[in-house]
Amino acid sequence: MGALLQERLARGEQAAFAELYDACADRLHHYLLVRLGSRTDADDALQETFLRLARMRERLAKVESLEAYVFTVARHEAIRLAASRVQRSRKLQPLVGDELFRVAPGDANAQDTAAALAAALGQLKPELREIVELKLYAGLTFQQISQVTDLPQGTVATRYRSALAHLRSWLARKL
Amino acid sequence: MNYDEIQSLLAPLTPRGAEPELRTRVLAAVAEELQTPQRGLWPRAALAVAAAIVVALGLNLWLDHRAEQRLAELFGPPPASKRATEVARMVAEAAGAPAGRWVYERLTARPNTSSDPAKYYAVLQRIVEETQIGFKESGHEALEENRPVDRRGPRRPGGDTSDRQRLVRGELRLTA
């Protein structure tokens, strides 16, 4: 996602927003799903994220990392939606394997692995789960994750290693 | 199981993304938003700040006025200044009731400089100068010599003990 795309977004080109959606919507949605635990909420948060980007489009030309900026906006939307869910007293349901991963119907091994991973991610603390999600599935660098989460880069790296250590011990028992 | 094994276990699973229908819905909402003309943030922020200041000032004035009203309801009107009363009484004794009332009204009117004692004093002084009392001797003077004191006698002679007296008669004239 280059500077040209950013300029086109800032000018309000509909096609530029479509390109941005195609480039990162799946990763954004997965991230929001892991954070919010609900597909419906993740759908709403994704829409709100893009609406906010459209409203603030003039700023997009000046951001250093568009990817990190988009994930930051999505994160704020997730926080806002989670807060409103608390007000509405809705409980977060743990996610299962096929909600998080695409698994071929006949592939039992993959289904088991997906289920185990979903459970393993579910038992992580939210702040560790977020780092794993952004690193492994959103594909962001530690620097970008640091911008998104507003944490020092060292803390991001430490939390990532800690998350992997937890996953290792969990998966070693289950698999 | 080491870190590389964990990562190799996690990485191959394809994350499930957004449903295709969501793309249509999101881009339609974005298109609608892009049609809305953008307003600059700064004029809105400046207007909001100006409005907040005006509301705060108005509220402050209203609360001030309301507090004074409530105090007047509870305790009656604010008391007259003692100084103003004294000065007005002196002026009234010297120059008559109308002059005294005029001075009282000038002194008890809410001054513009009520928060600054020095300026308030200057106003007071100006009022006194404007109501300057002219002093003119009109009567005759009678000079009396002191009676010689017999110091050989008792220390406290009976009668008048003053050294010298001048009896002066005069009239007070109010000039403005």
Side-chain angles (χ1 to χ4, degrees):
Chain A
M1 291 197 279
L4 184 60
L5 176 61
Q6 286 176 235
E7 285 168 15
R8 289 171 57 214
L9 289 165
R11 284 198 297 268
E13 277 187 35
Q14 173 75 22
F17 279 91
E19 273 180 48
L20 181 66
Y21 186 94
D22 295 336
C24 57
D26 283 343
R27 292 180 289 151
L28 278 171
H29 191 270
H30 198 267
Y31 168 70
L32 292 167
L33 180 61
V34 167
R35 270 205 80 116
L36 295 167
S38 154
R39 271 205 103 75
T40 313
D41 285 350
D43 291 353
D44 291 343
L46 183 67
Q47 179 169 326
E48 278 307 309
T49 299
F50 273 84
L51 279 175
R52 200 164 283 274
L53 290 169
R55 269 180 226 130
M56 299 188 302
R57 58 187 178 270
E58 285 180 2
R59 293 188 201 174
L60 297 178
K62 298 173 196 139
V63 299
E64 196 182 315
S65 166
L66 182 61
E67 225 169 0
Y69 189 80
V70 168
F71 272 88
T72 306
V73 172
R75 186 170 189 265
H76 290 159
E77 285 305 316
I79 290 169
R80 194 185 55 78
L81 203 58
S84 76
R85 183 174 56 205
V86 165
Q87 285 177 358
R88 284 178 278 143
S89 301
R90 277 178 54 195
K91 283 188 75 174
L92 184 68
Q93 300 299 325
L95 293 166
V96 295
D98 59 358
E99 284 179 307
L100 285 173
F101 305 107
R102 286 189 199 285
V103 181
D107 193 342
N109 264 348
Q111 284 176 359
D112 288 342
T113 308
L117 274 172
L121 286 170
Q123 60 83 35
L124 281 177
K125 287 184 189 173
E127 56 269 22
L128 299 182
R129 185 165 61 237
E130 181 179 32
I131 304 294
V132 168
E133 175 63 30
L134 289 171
K135 181 71 180 137
L136 280 180
Y137 296 114
L140 301 187
T141 63
F142 281 138
Q143 189 181 14
Q144 288 172 325
I145 297 172
S146 167
Q147 289 172 25
V148 171
T149 58
D150 204 23
L151 291 169
Q153 207 167 313
T155 305
V156 171
T158 304
R159 286 190 182 179
Y160 180 66
R161 282 193 293 274
S162 175
L164 288 188
H166 277 97
L167 287 174
R168 184 176 66 162
S169 62
W170 174 274
L171 290 170
R173 289 199 302 270
K174 298 292 177 187
L175 289 176
Chain B
M1 198 182 279
N2 59 29
Y3 289 121
D4 289 336
E5 284 170 347
I6 296 284
Q7 292 202 82
S8 61
L9 192 66
L10 293 171
L13 287 174
T14 308
R16 197 173 159 154
E19 296 302 318
E21 303 80 48
L22 188 58
R23 184 181 191 275
T24 312
R25 176 184 139 191
V26 169
L27 291 181
V30 167
E32 201 178 316
E33 180 63 36
L34 291 174
Q35 299 301 320
T36 313
Q38 281 209 305
R39 280 172 291 175
L41 273 179
W42 284 115
R44 270 191 282 172
L47 275 173
V49 168
I53 290 172
V54 167
V55 166
L57 280 173
L59 201 59
N60 195 25
L61 284 170
W62 179 78
L63 284 172
D64 200 31
H65 175 66
R66 190 78 193 99
E68 280 185 12
Q69 272 184 333
R70 291 193 70 173
L71 284 173
E73 281 166 23
L74 288 170
F75 301 113
S81 156
K82 196 174 168 186
R83 256 252 161 113
T85 312
E86 281 175 15
V87 170
R89 191 172 54 240
M90 280 166 48
V91 170
E93 283 171 6
R101 202 175 310 118
W102 180 79
V103 166
Y104 179 76
E105 283 169 9
R106 292 291 290 271
L107 289 176
T108 54
R110 188 185 292 265
N112 292 335
T113 56
S114 61
S115 62
D116 186 341
K119 285 186 181 175
Y120 181 70
Y121 177 72
V123 168
L124 187 62
Q125 206 167 19
R126 185 168 53 81
I127 291 170
V128 172
E129 284 166 7
E130 284 174 4
T131 57
Q132 190 178 11
I133 298 167
F135 193 83
K136 184 187 169 187
E137 296 178 3
S138 61
H140 66 277
E141 296 179 1
L143 190 64
E144 294 181 1
E145 271 192 34
N146 286 336
R147 287 188 219 138
V149 175
D150 184 3
R151 297 189 186 276
R152 292 169 301 174
R155 289 216 130 206
R156 285 184 172 268
D160 188 22
T161 59
S162 59
D163 185 37
R164 186 180 292 274
Q165 296 184 74
R166 276 167 72 107
L167 182 62
V168 175
R169 288 197 194 93
E171 66 185 38
L172 301 175
R173 192 183 307 147
L174 194 69
T175 60

